[in-house]
Amino acid sequence: MNRTLYNWLHDLGVALGLIPPPLQPIPIPTEDRDRRQPRR
């Protein structure tokens, strides 16, 4: 019950902009990937 209430309050806080959403890692292309595929 407490976990459900916490999740609900956290989601509400994120929706209202009171709590920043958790950040997702952004994949950064490496130089190795650029070398494998020559640009045309």
Side-chain angles (χ1 to χ4, degrees):
M1 173 79 182
N2 287 340
R3 189 70 182 164
T4 304
L5 182 61
Y6 174 78
N7 284 339
W8 185 82
L9 287 175
H10 185 267
D11 291 345
L12 180 63
V14 171
L16 294 176
L18 302 175
I19 304 171
L23 300 177
Q24 299 292 326
I26 300 172
I28 300 174
T30 60
E31 292 181 12
D32 294 340
R33 197 177 290 171
D34 292 340
R35 290 180 190 158
R36 290 181 200 158
Q37 299 174 353
R39 297 183 181 183
R40 294 182 181 179

